[in-house]
Amino acid sequence: MCGIVGGVTNQNITPLLLEGLKQLEYRGYDSSGLLVLSNNNSFLRARSVGKVHNLEKNLNTRKKRIKGNIGIAHTRWATHGEPSNRNAHPHISNNTVGVVHNGIIENYLELKESQSKQGYKFTSDTDTEVIAHAIEFNMQSSNTFLESVQKAINSFEGAYGLGIISSKHPDTIIAARKGSPLVIGVGKYGNYIASDQIALLPITRKFIFLEEGDIAELKLEKITIYNQNGNKVNRPIKTSKIKEGQVDLGVHKHFMQKEIFEQPQAIRDTLESRITKESVVVSAFGYKASEVFKNVKQVQIIACGTSFNAGLVAKYWLEDIAKIPCNVEIASEYRYRNPIILDRTLFVTISQSGETADTLQALKTAKEINNKIDTLCICNSAESSITRESEFTFLTHAGPEIGVASTKAFTTQLVALALLTCSIGVSKKNINKQNEKSIVDGLKRLPGLINETLLQESQIKKLAVRFKDKNSALFLGRGTMHAIAMEGALKLKEISYIHAEAYPAGELKHGPIALIDESMPVIAIAPNDELLSKLKSNLQEVKTRGSQMIVFEDKESKVKSMKAMKIISITSNLGRITAPIIFTIPLQLLSYHVALIKNTDVDKPRNLAKSVTVE
Ligand code: G6P
């Protein structure tokens, strides 16, 4: 979640570190810092709360300039310890070892206790400081810098991407990764590390992607990499085609297709540092989130468009799993209707852009009505009006979404909302350890499950032909799948211009059934859940009206095949959290392929805007 950049070069490293941090700002931050080894081998450190710009100002106003050829830098998003100078990275041990860290050391309290007994004095509340002390401690019994890092790492449980320098080894940076990304940049004037290649694009295009458990030793003219067993390995140097500040299509025809296929990675990025082996990191929502979640009495969700549909799914989760009352409302309605807002309400806005005018205004209005509420924004844009207006921010790390029809932003919003559900449930003691672990396990399975589902693209493409001459479609689902049906219908409307409606399947006989005939395809979502038998009866009702049907089911759902019905078995063993996220994927693919057949402007559908900043 945090950003790392570092390097060893024959030039002054400080401007490169600053520039790298600026490139990483999109991931969110509450403080930043850098550590450089001066030419007489002493550590020079600067840290500032707030934007990287504040760190830059801090550097410019110092009497003694921070200059040197080797250094590490970091943007922090507070999880362990409040956002403050003392908690900002890099952390130093005994003026000898400096560390920047991305991830969570789960056993840091244990390590802290034993290190305190060894005489180490702690100057921060972070989990990271134990890393610096562990390396410093192991230096005393090691022959090399590398060996001390290898020994220290063996004592860590959790996830890390690390950049380490030492005043005793002024020519070396050590990088290590497990569970958090880290890339090496091979440059003309030196070698570099970063948590995201974007940070290094101004310097190089040549990258080595470290694998799980790798440790790398970087010197000015040499990079040596060891795998998790300590054996020397060769990792290929790849040339990046990413252009600075530009997102390209790669092998895809449209951004929408690209973004659909990026979902496994977007979800991995959104989960990074937000879960541990078996639990959620509640403080990922904000340093004081746990206290707020414990006391909160109800949740009010506000959003527009696709983000609203994500909120609808969350209502089921929050009430069913976290046992907290939840309301969801369209922002443009909420802002004008003088709502009653009770004390101890957690007011959650969901927005990809963070700029949607109605959502922003609904948030402002809510704060005017009751200034005691806590506000949380789930957003894909670190620097946006809605994040600025909110007390807590949880960033979805979907990356830039260019297609107007939202895809990866939606599924990452669902992941964020699943984490919120779990965090509130755990804070209120409504979710026990076992349930928490099973939610976390389910979230970890998501990227693999999505990849499996994406393999169905060719089958779904064939189905799209059925919509060629259709003017209307009906999407059916029950429970969370009603919200997913709404998202499926919205996607079809947005990019293929076919009128589409979503209905809770149980409501069919109260109106929409009158519309059903051969010209109206019905798309049903049939997960293997407690409502399956009821949904199957609804499918019978539809069938007798002669409609063409498409059913997306779980392998275990075993929907009985009927005439003019196409059943696509998506995957198996889905749970309450995983099912809505996975069933979204075939609906996205279906809309995309229908739009191709209709020959519409997929990425820029008529009359629609990516970000609606006016009423
Ligand atoms: C527009 C976009 C939708 C988006 C909605 C809300 O209508 O076309 O894709 O869902 O705005 O945007 P937000 O940025 O607040 O999520």
Side-chain angles (χ1 to χ4, degrees), residues 304-307 350-354 356 359 404-406 413 494 609-610 612:
C304 300
T306 288
S307 301
I350 309 172
S351 176
Q352 188 284 129
S353 61
T356 303
T359 309
V404 166
S406 185
Q413 282 167 351
E494 282 178 312
K610 183 76 196 154
V612 182

Side-chain angles (χ1 to χ4, degrees), residues 455-470:
L455 294 176
Q456 314 261 7
E457 188 183 19
S458 55
Q459 271 213 69
I460 293 168
K461 189 174 167 184
K462 283 188 207 143
L463 289 178
V465 182
R466 297 181 178 204
F467 291 75
K468 191 163 179 283
D469 307 312
K470 298 290 185 286

